[in-house]
Coordinates of all heavy atoms in Angstrom, one line a residue:
M1 N 19.3 -5.7 17.1 CA 19.6 -4.7 16.1 C 18.7 -5.1 14.8 O 18.4 -4.3 14.1 CB 21.0 -4.7 15.8 CG 21.4 -3.5 14.9 SD 20.9 -2.0 15.7 CE 22.2 -0.8 15.1
D2 N 18.7 -6.5 14.6 CA 17.9 -6.9 13.4 C 16.5 -6.4 13.4 O 15.9 -6.1 12.4 CB 17.9 -8.4 13.3 CG 19.3 -8.9 12.9 OD1 20.0 -8.1 12.3 OD2 19.6 -10.1 13.1
T3 N 15.8 -6.3 14.5 CA 14.5 -5.9 14.6 C 14.4 -4.4 14.3 O 13.5 -4.0 13.5 CB 14.0 -6.0 16.1 OG1 14.0 -7.4 16.5 CG2 12.6 -5.5 16.3
F4 N 15.3 -3.6 14.8 CA 15.3 -2.2 14.3 C 15.6 -2.0 12.8 O 15.0 -1.1 12.2 CB 16.3 -1.4 15.2 CG 15.9 -1.3 16.6 CD1 16.6 -2.0 17.6 CD2 14.9 -0.5 17.0 CE1 16.1 -1.9 18.9 CE2 14.4 -0.3 18.2 CZ 15.1 -1.1 19.3
N5 N 16.5 -2.8 12.3 CA 16.7 -2.8 10.8 C 15.5 -3.2 10.1 O 15.1 -2.4 9.1 CB 17.8 -3.7 10.4 CG 19.2 -3.2 10.9 OD1 19.4 -1.9 11.0 ND2 20.1 -4.1 11.1
S6 N 14.7 -4.2 10.6 CA 13.5 -4.5 9.9 C 12.4 -3.4 10.0 O 11.8 -3.2 8.9 CB 12.9 -5.8 10.5 OG 11.7 -6.2 9.9
I7 N 12.3 -2.8 11.2 CA 11.3 -1.8 11.3 C 11.7 -0.5 10.4 O 10.9 0.0 9.8 CB 11.2 -1.3 12.7 CG1 10.6 -2.5 13.6 CG2 10.4 -0.1 12.9 CD1 10.7 -2.3 15.1
A8 N 13.0 -0.2 10.4 CA 13.4 1.0 9.6 C 13.2 0.7 8.1 O 12.8 1.6 7.4 CB 14.9 1.2 9.8
H9 N 13.4 -0.6 7.7 CA 13.1 -0.9 6.2 C 11.7 -0.7 5.9 O 11.3 -0.1 4.9 CB 13.6 -2.3 6.0 CG 13.4 -2.8 4.5 ND1 13.9 -2.4 3.5 CD2 12.4 -3.6 4.1 CE1 13.5 -2.8 2.4 NE2 12.6 -3.7 2.8
T10 N 10.8 -1.2 6.8 CA 9.3 -1.1 6.6 C 8.9 0.4 6.6 O 8.1 0.8 5.7 CB 8.5 -1.8 7.7 OG1 8.9 -3.2 7.7 CG2 7.0 -1.7 7.6
L11 N 9.5 1.1 7.5 CA 9.1 2.6 7.5 C 9.5 3.3 6.2 O 8.9 4.2 5.8 CB 9.6 3.3 8.8 CG 9.0 2.8 10.1 CD1 9.8 3.4 11.3 CD2 7.5 3.2 10.1
K12 N 10.8 2.9 5.8 CA 11.2 3.5 4.5 C 10.3 3.1 3.3 O 10.0 4.0 2.5 CB 12.7 2.9 4.2 CG 13.3 3.7 3.1 CD 14.7 3.1 2.7 CE 15.7 3.4 3.7 NZ 17.1 3.0 3.4
L13 N 9.8 1.9 3.3 CA 8.9 1.5 2.3 C 7.6 2.3 2.3 O 7.0 2.8 1.2 CB 8.6 0.0 2.4 CG 9.6 -0.9 1.8 CD1 9.3 -2.4 2.1 CD2 9.8 -0.8 0.3
I14 N 7.1 2.6 3.5 CA 5.8 3.3 3.5 C 6.0 4.8 3.6 O 5.1 5.6 3.7 CB 4.8 2.8 4.6 CG1 5.5 3.1 6.1 CG2 4.4 1.4 4.4 CD1 4.5 2.8 7.2
G15 N 7.3 5.2 3.7 CA 7.7 6.7 3.8 C 7.4 7.5 2.6 O 7.3 8.7 2.7
H16 N 7.3 6.9 1.5 CA 7.1 7.6 0.3 C 5.5 8.1 0.2 O 4.7 7.2 0.5 CB 7.3 6.7 -1.0 CG 7.3 7.5 -2.3 ND1 6.1 7.8 -2.9 CD2 8.3 7.9 -3.1 CE1 6.3 8.4 -4.0 NE2 7.6 8.5 -4.2
P17 N 5.3 9.3 -0.1 CA 3.9 9.9 0.0 C 2.9 9.0 -0.8 O 1.8 8.8 -0.4 CB 4.0 11.3 -0.5 CG 5.4 11.7 -0.3 CD 6.3 10.4 -0.4
L18 N 3.3 8.6 -2.0 CA 2.4 7.9 -2.9 C 2.1 6.5 -2.2 O 1.0 6.0 -2.2 CB 2.9 7.8 -4.3 CG 2.0 7.1 -5.2 CD1 0.6 7.8 -5.3 CD2 2.6 7.1 -6.7
R19 N 3.2 5.8 -1.8 CA 3.0 4.4 -1.2 C 2.2 4.5 0.1 O 1.3 3.7 0.3 CB 4.4 3.8 -0.9 CG 5.0 3.3 -2.2 CD 6.1 2.3 -2.0 NE 7.3 3.0 -1.3 CZ 8.4 3.5 -2.0 NH1 8.3 3.6 -3.3 NH2 9.4 4.0 -1.3
L20 N 2.4 5.7 0.9 CA 1.6 5.8 2.1 C 0.2 6.0 1.7 O -0.7 5.5 2.4 CB 2.2 7.1 2.8 CG 1.5 7.3 4.2 CD1 1.6 6.1 5.2 CD2 2.1 8.6 4.8
Q21 N -0.1 6.7 0.8 CA -1.5 7.0 0.3 C -2.1 5.6 -0.2 O -3.3 5.3 0.1 CB -1.6 8.0 -0.7 CG -3.0 8.5 -1.1 CD -3.1 9.7 -1.9 OE1 -2.0 10.2 -2.5 NE2 -4.2 10.2 -2.2
I22 N -1.4 4.9 -1.0 CA -1.9 3.6 -1.4 C -2.1 2.6 -0.3 O -3.2 2.0 -0.2 CB -0.8 2.9 -2.4 CG1 -0.7 3.7 -3.7 CG2 -1.1 1.5 -2.6 CD1 0.5 3.2 -4.6
V23 N -1.3 2.6 0.7 CA -1.4 1.6 1.7 C -2.6 2.1 2.6 O -3.5 1.2 3.0 CB -0.2 1.6 2.7 CG1 -0.4 0.9 4.0 CG2 1.0 0.9 2.0
A24 N -2.8 3.4 2.9 CA -4.0 3.9 3.6 C -5.3 3.5 2.9 O -6.3 3.1 3.5 CB -3.8 5.4 3.8
G25 N -5.3 3.6 1.6 CA -6.5 3.2 0.9 C -6.8 1.7 0.9 O -7.9 1.2 1.1
L26 N -5.7 0.9 0.8 CA -5.9 -0.5 0.9 C -6.2 -1.1 2.2 O -6.8 -2.1 2.4 CB -4.6 -1.2 0.4 CG -4.2 -1.0 -1.0 CD1 -2.8 -1.7 -1.5 CD2 -5.3 -1.4 -2.0
I27 N -5.9 -0.3 3.3 CA -6.4 -0.7 4.6 C -7.9 -0.6 4.7 O -8.5 -1.6 5.2 CB -5.7 0.2 5.7 CG1 -4.3 -0.2 5.8 CG2 -6.4 0.0 7.0 CD1 -3.5 0.8 6.7
R28 N -8.4 0.4 4.0 CA -9.9 0.5 4.1 C -10.6 -0.5 3.2 O -11.6 -1.0 3.6 CB -10.3 1.8 3.6 CG -9.9 3.0 4.6 CD -10.5 4.3 4.3 NE -11.2 4.4 3.0 CZ -11.2 5.4 2.2 NH1 -10.7 6.6 2.7 NH2 -11.8 5.4 1.0
Q29 N -10.0 -0.8 2.1 CA -10.7 -1.7 1.1 C -9.7 -2.3 0.1 O -8.9 -1.4 -0.5 CB -11.8 -1.0 0.4 CG -12.5 -1.8 -0.6 CD -13.7 -0.9 -1.3 OE1 -14.0 0.1 -0.9 NE2 -14.2 -1.6 -2.4
P30 N -9.7 -3.6 -0.2 CA -8.8 -4.1 -1.2 C -9.2 -3.5 -2.5 O -10.4 -3.2 -2.8 CB -9.2 -5.6 -1.3 CG -9.6 -5.9 0.1 CD -10.4 -4.6 0.5
K31 N -8.2 -3.2 -3.4 CA -8.4 -2.6 -4.7 C -7.5 -3.2 -5.8 O -6.5 -3.7 -5.4 CB -8.2 -1.1 -4.6 CG -9.1 -0.3 -3.7 CD -8.8 1.2 -3.8 CE -9.7 2.0 -2.9 NZ -10.6 1.5 -2.2
C32 N -7.9 -3.1 -7.0 CA -7.1 -3.5 -8.1 C -6.3 -2.3 -8.6 O -6.6 -1.2 -8.2 CB -7.9 -4.1 -9.3 SG -9.0 -3.0 -10.1
V33 N -5.2 -2.6 -9.4 CA -4.4 -1.5 -9.9 C -5.2 -0.4 -10.7 O -4.9 0.8 -10.4 CB -3.4 -2.1 -10.9 CG1 -2.5 -0.9 -11.5 CG2 -2.4 -3.0 -10.2
K34 N -6.2 -0.8 -11.4 CA -6.9 0.2 -12.2 C -7.7 1.2 -11.3 O -7.7 2.4 -11.5 CB -8.0 -0.5 -13.1 CG -8.7 0.5 -14.0 CD -9.7 -0.3 -14.9 CE -10.4 0.8 -15.8 NZ -11.8 0.7 -15.6
D35 N -8.3 0.6 -10.2 CA -9.0 1.4 -9.2 C -8.0 2.4 -8.5 O -8.3 3.5 -8.3 CB -9.7 0.5 -8.1 CG -10.8 -0.3 -8.6 OD1 -11.4 0.1 -9.7 OD2 -11.1 -1.3 -8.0
I36 N -6.9 1.9 -8.2 CA -5.8 2.8 -7.5 C -5.3 3.9 -8.5 O -5.3 5.1 -8.1 CB -4.6 1.9 -7.2 CG1 -5.1 0.9 -6.1 CG2 -3.5 2.8 -6.5 CD1 -4.1 -0.2 -5.7
W37 N -4.9 3.6 -9.7 CA -4.4 4.7 -10.6 C -5.5 5.6 -11.0 O -5.2 6.8 -11.2 CB -3.6 4.2 -11.7 CG -4.2 3.2 -12.8 CD1 -4.1 1.9 -12.9 CD2 -4.9 3.6 -14.0 NE1 -4.7 1.5 -14.0 CE2 -5.2 2.5 -14.7 CE3 -5.3 4.9 -14.5 CZ2 -5.9 2.5 -15.9 CZ3 -6.0 4.9 -15.6 CH2 -6.3 3.7 -16.3
E38 N -6.8 5.2 -11.0 CA -7.8 6.1 -11.4 C -8.0 7.1 -10.2 O -8.3 8.3 -10.4 CB -9.1 5.4 -11.8 CG -9.1 4.8 -13.1 CD -10.3 4.0 -13.5 OE1 -11.2 3.7 -12.6 OE2 -10.5 3.8 -14.7
C39 N -8.1 6.6 -9.0 CA -8.3 7.4 -7.9 C -7.2 8.4 -7.7 O -7.4 9.5 -7.3 CB -8.5 6.5 -6.6 SG -9.9 5.7 -6.5
L40 N -6.0 8.0 -7.9 CA -4.8 8.9 -7.7 C -4.4 9.6 -8.9 O -3.5 10.5 -8.8 CB -3.7 8.0 -7.2 CG -3.8 7.3 -5.9 CD1 -2.7 6.5 -5.5 CD2 -4.1 8.3 -4.7
D41 N -5.1 9.5 -10.1 CA -4.8 10.1 -11.3 C -3.3 10.1 -11.6 O -2.6 11.0 -11.8 CB -5.3 11.5 -11.2 CG -5.3 12.2 -12.6 OD1 -5.4 11.5 -13.5 OD2 -5.1 13.5 -12.6
M42 N -2.8 8.8 -11.5 CA -1.3 8.5 -11.8 C -1.3 7.5 -12.9 O -2.2 6.7 -13.0 CB -0.6 8.1 -10.5 CG -0.6 9.0 -9.4 SD 0.5 10.4 -9.7 CE 2.0 9.7 -9.7
P43 N -0.2 7.5 -13.7 CA 0.0 6.4 -14.7 C 0.0 5.0 -14.1 O 0.5 4.8 -13.0 CB 1.3 6.8 -15.4 CG 1.5 8.1 -15.0 CD 0.9 8.4 -13.7
Q44 N -0.5 4.1 -14.8 CA -0.6 2.7 -14.3 C 0.8 2.1 -14.0 O 1.0 1.5 -13.0 CB -1.3 1.8 -15.3 CG -1.5 0.4 -15.0 CD -0.3 -0.5 -15.5 OE1 0.3 -0.2 -16.5 NE2 0.1 -1.5 -14.7
A45 N 1.7 2.5 -14.8 CA 3.1 2.0 -14.6 C 3.7 2.5 -13.2 O 4.4 1.7 -12.6 CB 4.0 2.4 -15.7
V46 N 3.5 3.8 -12.9 CA 3.9 4.3 -11.6 C 3.3 3.5 -10.5 O 4.0 3.1 -9.5 CB 3.6 5.8 -11.5 CG1 3.9 6.3 -10.1 CG2 4.4 6.5 -12.6
I47 N 2.0 3.3 -10.5 CA 1.3 2.6 -9.4 C 1.9 1.2 -9.3 O 2.0 0.7 -8.2 CB -0.2 2.5 -9.6 CG1 -0.8 4.0 -9.7 CG2 -0.9 1.7 -8.6 CD1 -0.5 4.8 -8.4
S48 N 2.0 0.5 -10.5 CA 2.4 -0.9 -10.4 C 3.8 -1.0 -9.8 O 4.2 -1.9 -9.1 CB 2.5 -1.4 -11.9 OG 1.2 -1.6 -12.4
Q49 N 4.7 0.0 -10.1 CA 6.1 0.0 -9.6 C 6.0 0.1 -8.0 O 6.7 -0.6 -7.3 CB 7.0 1.1 -10.1 CG 7.3 0.9 -11.5 CD 8.0 2.1 -12.1 OE1 8.2 3.2 -11.5 NE2 8.5 2.0 -13.4
H50 N 5.1 1.0 -7.5 CA 5.0 1.2 -6.1 C 4.4 -0.1 -5.5 O 4.8 -0.5 -4.3 CB 4.2 2.4 -5.8 CG 5.0 3.6 -5.9 ND1 6.1 4.0 -5.2 CD2 4.9 4.6 -6.9 CE1 6.5 5.2 -5.6 NE2 5.9 5.6 -6.7
L51 N 3.4 -0.7 -6.1 CA 2.8 -1.9 -5.6 C 3.8 -3.0 -5.5 O 3.8 -3.8 -4.5 CB 1.6 -2.3 -6.4 CG 0.3 -1.5 -6.4 CD1 -0.7 -1.9 -7.4 CD2 -0.2 -1.6 -5.0
A52 N 4.7 -3.1 -6.5 CA 5.7 -4.2 -6.5 C 6.7 -3.9 -5.3 O 7.1 -5.0 -4.7 CB 6.5 -4.1 -7.8
K53 N 7.0 -2.8 -4.9 CA 7.9 -2.5 -3.8 C 7.2 -2.9 -2.5 O 7.8 -3.5 -1.6 CB 8.4 -1.1 -3.8 CG 9.3 -0.7 -4.8 CD 9.8 0.8 -4.7 CE 10.7 1.1 -5.9 NZ 11.3 2.4 -5.8
L54 N 6.0 -2.6 -2.4 CA 5.1 -2.9 -1.2 C 5.0 -4.4 -1.1 O 5.1 -5.0 0.0 CB 3.9 -2.1 -1.2 CG 3.8 -0.7 -1.1 CD1 2.5 -0.1 -1.4 CD2 4.3 -0.3 0.3
K55 N 4.8 -5.0 -2.1 CA 4.6 -6.5 -2.1 C 5.9 -7.2 -1.8 O 5.9 -8.1 -1.0 CB 4.1 -7.0 -3.5 CG 3.7 -8.4 -3.6 CD 3.1 -8.8 -4.9 CE 2.7 -10.3 -4.9 NZ 2.3 -10.7 -6.2
A56 N 7.0 -6.7 -2.4 CA 8.3 -7.3 -2.1 C 8.7 -7.1 -0.6 O 9.4 -8.0 0.0 CB 9.4 -6.7 -3.0
G57 N 8.2 -6.1 0.0 CA 8.5 -5.8 1.3 C 7.6 -6.5 2.3 O 7.7 -6.4 3.5
G58 N 6.7 -7.3 1.8 CA 5.7 -8.0 2.6 C 4.6 -7.2 3.3 O 4.0 -7.6 4.3
I59 N 4.4 -6.0 2.8 CA 3.4 -5.1 3.3 C 2.0 -5.4 2.7 O 1.0 -5.4 3.4 CB 3.8 -3.7 3.1 CG1 5.1 -3.4 3.9 CG2 2.7 -2.7 3.4 CD1 5.7 -2.1 3.6
I60 N 1.9 -5.8 1.4 CA 0.7 -6.1 0.8 C 0.8 -7.4 0.1 O 2.0 -8.0 -0.1 CB 0.3 -5.0 -0.2 CG1 1.3 -5.0 -1.4 CG2 0.1 -3.6 0.4 CD1 0.9 -4.2 -2.6
E61 N -0.3 -7.9 -0.2 CA -0.4 -9.2 -1.2 C -1.5 -8.9 -2.1 O -2.5 -8.2 -1.8 CB -0.7 -10.4 -0.2 CG -2.0 -10.6 0.3 CD -2.3 -11.9 0.9 OE1 -1.3 -12.8 1.0 OE2 -3.4 -12.2 1.4
G62 N -1.4 -9.7 -3.2 CA -2.5 -9.6 -4.2 C -3.2 -11.0 -4.3 O -2.5 -12.0 -4.3
K63 N -4.4 -10.9 -4.5 CA -5.2 -12.1 -4.8 C -6.0 -12.0 -6.1 O -6.6 -10.9 -6.3 CB -6.2 -12.3 -3.6 CG -5.6 -12.7 -2.3 CD -6.6 -13.0 -1.3 CE -5.8 -13.5 0.0 NZ -6.7 -13.8 1.1
R64 N -6.0 -13.0 -6.9 CA -6.5 -12.9 -8.2 C -8.1 -13.2 -8.1 O -8.4 -14.2 -7.6 CB -5.9 -13.9 -9.2 CG -6.4 -13.8 -10.6 CD -5.5 -14.6 -11.6 NE -4.3 -14.1 -11.8 CZ -3.9 -13.1 -12.5 NH1 -4.9 -12.4 -13.3 NH2 -2.7 -12.7 -12.7
F65 N -8.8 -12.3 -8.8 CA -10.2 -12.4 -9.0 C -10.5 -12.3 -10.4 O -10.6 -11.2 -10.9 CB -11.0 -11.5 -8.1 CG -10.9 -11.6 -6.6 CD1 -9.9 -10.9 -5.9 CD2 -11.7 -12.5 -6.1 CE1 -9.9 -11.1 -4.6 CE2 -11.7 -12.7 -4.7 CZ -10.7 -12.0 -3.9
G66 N -10.6 -13.4 -11.1 CA -10.8 -13.4 -12.6 C -9.5 -12.8 -13.2 O -8.4 -13.3 -13.0
V67 N -9.7 -11.7 -14.0 CA -8.6 -11.1 -14.6 C -7.8 -10.1 -13.8 O -6.9 -9.5 -14.1 CB -8.9 -10.5 -16.0 CG1 -9.4 -11.5 -17.0 CG2 -10.0 -9.4 -15.8
E68 N -8.4 -9.6 -12.7 CA -7.9 -8.6 -11.8 C -7.2 -9.2 -10.6 O -7.5 -10.3 -10.1 CB -9.0 -7.7 -11.3 CG -9.8 -6.9 -12.4 CD -10.9 -6.1 -11.8 OE1 -11.3 -6.4 -10.7 OE2 -11.2 -5.1 -12.4
I69 N -6.2 -8.5 -10.1 CA -5.5 -8.8 -8.8 C -6.0 -7.7 -7.9 O -5.7 -6.4 -8.1 CB -4.0 -8.9 -9.0 CG1 -3.7 -10.0 -10.0 CG2 -3.3 -9.1 -7.7 CD1 -2.2 -10.1 -10.3
H70 N -6.5 -8.1 -6.8 CA -6.9 -7.1 -5.7 C -5.9 -7.2 -4.6 O -5.6 -8.2 -4.1 CB -8.3 -7.5 -5.1 CG -9.4 -7.2 -6.1 ND1 -10.5 -6.4 -5.8 CD2 -9.6 -7.7 -7.4 CE1 -11.2 -6.3 -6.9 NE2 -10.8 -7.0 -7.8
Y71 N -5.4 -6.0 -4.3 CA -4.3 -5.9 -3.2 C -4.9 -5.5 -2.0 O -5.8 -4.8 -1.8 CB -3.3 -4.8 -3.7 CG -2.5 -5.3 -4.9 CD1 -2.9 -4.9 -6.2 CD2 -1.4 -6.0 -4.8 CE1 -2.3 -5.3 -7.3 CE2 -0.7 -6.5 -5.9 CZ -1.2 -6.1 -7.1 OH -0.5 -6.6 -8.3
T72 N -4.3 -6.0 -0.8 CA -4.7 -5.7 0.5 C -3.4 -5.7 1.4 O -2.4 -6.2 1.0 CB -5.7 -6.8 1.0 OG1 -6.2 -6.3 2.3 CG2 -5.0 -8.1 1.2
V73 N -3.5 -4.9 2.5 CA -2.5 -4.8 3.4 C -2.4 -6.1 4.4 O -3.5 -6.4 4.9 CB -2.5 -3.5 4.2 CG1 -1.3 -3.4 5.2 CG2 -2.5 -2.3 3.3
I74 N -1.2 -6.7 4.5 CA -1.2 -7.9 5.3 C -0.3 -7.7 6.5 O -0.3 -8.5 7.4 CB -0.7 -9.1 4.5 CG1 0.6 -8.8 3.9 CG2 -1.8 -9.5 3.5 CD1 1.3 -10.1 3.2
D75 N 0.5 -6.6 6.5 CA 1.4 -6.4 7.7 C 0.6 -5.7 8.8 O 0.3 -4.5 8.7 CB 2.6 -5.6 7.3 CG 3.7 -5.4 8.3 OD1 3.3 -5.0 9.4 OD2 4.8 -5.6 8.0
P76 N 0.5 -6.3 10.0 CA -0.4 -5.7 11.0 C 0.3 -4.5 11.6 O -0.4 -3.6 12.0 CB -0.5 -6.8 12.1 CG 0.5 -7.8 11.7 CD 0.9 -7.7 10.2
M77 N 1.6 -4.5 11.6 CA 2.3 -3.2 12.2 C 2.0 -2.0 11.3 O 1.8 -0.9 11.8 CB 3.8 -3.4 12.4 CG 4.5 -2.2 13.0 SD 6.2 -2.2 13.0 CE 6.6 -2.1 11.2
V78 N 2.1 -2.3 10.0 CA 1.9 -1.2 9.0 C 0.4 -0.7 9.2 O 0.2 0.5 9.2 CB 2.2 -1.6 7.6 CG1 1.7 -0.7 6.6 CG2 3.7 -1.9 7.4
K79 N -0.5 -1.7 9.3 CA -1.9 -1.2 9.4 C -2.1 -0.3 10.6 O -2.7 0.8 10.5 CB -2.8 -2.4 9.6 CG -3.1 -3.2 8.3 CD -4.1 -4.4 8.7 CE -4.4 -5.1 7.4 NZ -5.3 -6.3 7.7
M80 N -1.5 -0.7 11.7 CA -1.7 0.1 12.9 C -1.0 1.4 12.8 O -1.6 2.5 13.1 CB -1.0 -0.7 14.1 CG -1.1 0.1 15.5 SD -0.2 -0.8 16.8 CE 1.5 -0.5 16.2
V81 N 0.1 1.5 12.4 CA 1.0 2.8 12.2 C 0.2 3.7 11.1 O 0.0 4.9 11.5 CB 2.4 2.5 11.7 CG1 3.0 3.8 11.3 CG2 3.2 1.8 12.8
V82 N -0.1 3.2 10.0 CA -0.8 4.0 9.0 C -2.2 4.5 9.5 O -2.6 5.7 9.2 CB -0.9 3.3 7.6 CG1 -1.7 4.1 6.6 CG2 0.4 3.1 7.1
E83 N -2.9 3.6 10.1 CA -4.2 4.1 10.6 C -4.1 5.2 11.7 O -4.8 6.1 11.6 CB -5.0 2.9 11.3 CG -5.6 1.9 10.2 CD -6.2 0.7 10.8 OE1 -5.9 0.4 11.9 OE2 -7.0 0.1 10.0
H84 N -3.1 5.1 12.5 CA -2.8 6.1 13.5 C -2.4 7.4 12.8 O -2.9 8.4 13.2 CB -1.8 5.6 14.5 CG -1.5 6.6 15.6 ND1 -2.3 6.8 16.6 CD2 -0.4 7.4 15.7 CE1 -1.8 7.8 17.4 NE2 -0.7 8.1 16.9
L85 N -1.5 7.3 11.9 CA -1.0 8.5 11.3 C -2.0 9.2 10.3 O -2.0 10.5 10.3 CB 0.2 8.2 10.3 CG 1.5 7.7 11.1 CD1 2.5 7.2 10.1 CD2 2.0 8.8 12.0
T86 N -2.9 8.5 9.8 CA -3.9 9.1 8.9 C -5.2 9.3 9.5 O -6.2 9.7 8.8 CB -4.0 8.2 7.6 OG1 -4.4 6.9 7.9 CG2 -2.7 8.1 6.8
D87 N -5.3 9.0 10.8 CA -6.6 9.1 11.5 C -7.6 10.1 10.8 O -7.5 11.3 10.9 CB -6.3 9.5 12.9 CG -7.5 9.4 13.8 OD1 -8.4 8.6 13.6 OD2 -7.6 10.2 14.8
N88 N -8.6 9.5 10.1 CA -9.7 10.2 9.5 C -9.4 11.2 8.3 O -10.1 12.0 8.0 CB -10.5 11.0 10.6 CG -11.2 10.1 11.5 OD1 -11.7 9.1 11.2 ND2 -11.1 10.4 12.8
E89 N -8.1 11.0 7.8 CA -7.8 11.8 6.6 C -8.4 11.2 5.4 O -8.7 10.0 5.3 CB -6.2 11.7 6.4 CG -5.4 12.5 7.4 CD -5.6 14.0 7.3 OE1 -5.7 14.5 6.3 OE2 -5.8 14.5 8.5
A90 N -8.6 12.0 4.3 CA -9.1 11.6 3.1 C -8.1 10.7 2.3 O -6.9 11.2 2.2 CB -9.5 12.7 2.2
N91 N -8.4 9.6 2.0 CA -7.5 8.6 1.4 C -8.1 8.1 0.1 O -9.2 8.4 -0.2 CB -7.1 7.5 2.3 CG -6.4 8.0 3.6 OD1 -5.5 8.6 3.5 ND2 -7.0 7.5 4.8
L92 N -7.3 7.2 -0.5 CA -7.7 6.5 -1.7 C -9.0 5.8 -1.5 O -9.3 5.2 -0.5 CB -6.6 5.5 -2.1 CG -6.8 4.6 -3.2 CD1 -6.9 5.4 -4.5 CD2 -5.7 3.6 -3.3

């Protein structure tokens, strides 16, 4: 049952349309917050809140490059699921 709870939690995290779009974009290429909010035309604070949830859920990680933090997807199950679901869709 713990496995199903874990999977359900992960699906809930990526189930939000904006987080799903962020994850799809980060699968293709690591990006910093500024790149993400400019592409999605959303306030920086909104993007940061969603990134924090994805990071806390172990779906993404950030690596510092100078003054920027570049985010990438680290959960292999999420990569597989999102790539399958978004197959050739226009993403971030």
